[in-house]
Amino acid sequence: MKIGFFDSGIGGMTVLHQALRLLPNEDYIFYADTLHVPYGEKPKEEVREYIFNAVDFMANQGIKALVIACNTATSIAVDDLRQKYDFPILGIEPAVKPAVQSCKGKRKKVLVLATNLTLREEKFHNLVKSIDHHDIVESLPLPGLVQFAENFEFREEIVVPYLKERLSLFDLKQYGTIVLGCTHFPYFENSIKKIFPEEVDIISGSIGTAKNLKRILEARNQINNGTGNILFFKSGHKVDDNETLSKYNQFFGMLDRICSLKNGELNQQEKSKSINY
Ligand code: DGL
């Protein structure tokens, strides 16, 4: 059986990309609710309905596990989804805990970047309250990055001025860790890195979620020997046109480059190429 991945849009591919590294022999369904993106700017009840419709659709395809590869959807629906379906459901939430731990000794602050809806939700406030005993966590919604990613707009000359404007009132030297609390944001990691001092860490929950998925499948004896095949759906319709599929491939290529850059695997020539997606 396949593993389902769900997001409002192409952000979820940043989590799927990590899962493919850890579980390359699984088969996947990736569902992007592109008709209704952005979730982060819509009323909670409306978004809940979209999420349940999408997950019903995926459940009907027959999946052995579901990854809600969207912080916004996780924060408003993961508990209720787990009541309804009997396959394991994994969510993703802003990686506040590791960020606070790594900043504590450094006398630095944590900045969580996410959607408006995620940052407004009780789940996020409870998470911060349970971890942030020294008031070092701050947050900022960046809805523009979701739109940029959906429009395939990654040019630094467009993205960096947007980020500078949104961050103009922040003292950037104060931050030790930036948490990417929206799965659309890792595409912009290089632009974000440009704005903050060099030693800042940028983290997201995607590796942790992929590791959890592997652990759960192993515990249930459900590791596959498939082909790493991915079926893509957009709001209930199978994606089979070559233009969209090749765009998706480009997203994976970009994520490969971002990962290699982060892990120091690129030489100088490859590094300069990676700036122009
Ligand atoms: N990718 C989503 C997240 O992680 C939400 C983007 C949106 O639809 O606003 O929160």
Side-chain angles (χ1 to χ4, degrees), residues 6-12 14-15 33 36-42 47 68-75 92 114-118 142-143 145-147 150 180-186:
F6 165 66
D7 182 36
S8 59
I10 52 93
T14 61
V15 191
D33 194 9
H36 304 119
V37 68
Y39 281 180
E41 301 304 298
K42 295 196 167 68
V47 175
I68 307 288
C70 174
N71 294 262
T72 311
T74 299
S75 67
I92 185 165
T115 67
N116 273 304
L117 199 45
T118 299
L142 289 176
L145 292 188
V146 176
Q147 293 296 357
E150 291 299 321
L180 304 181
C182 170
T183 56
H184 281 73
F185 296 176

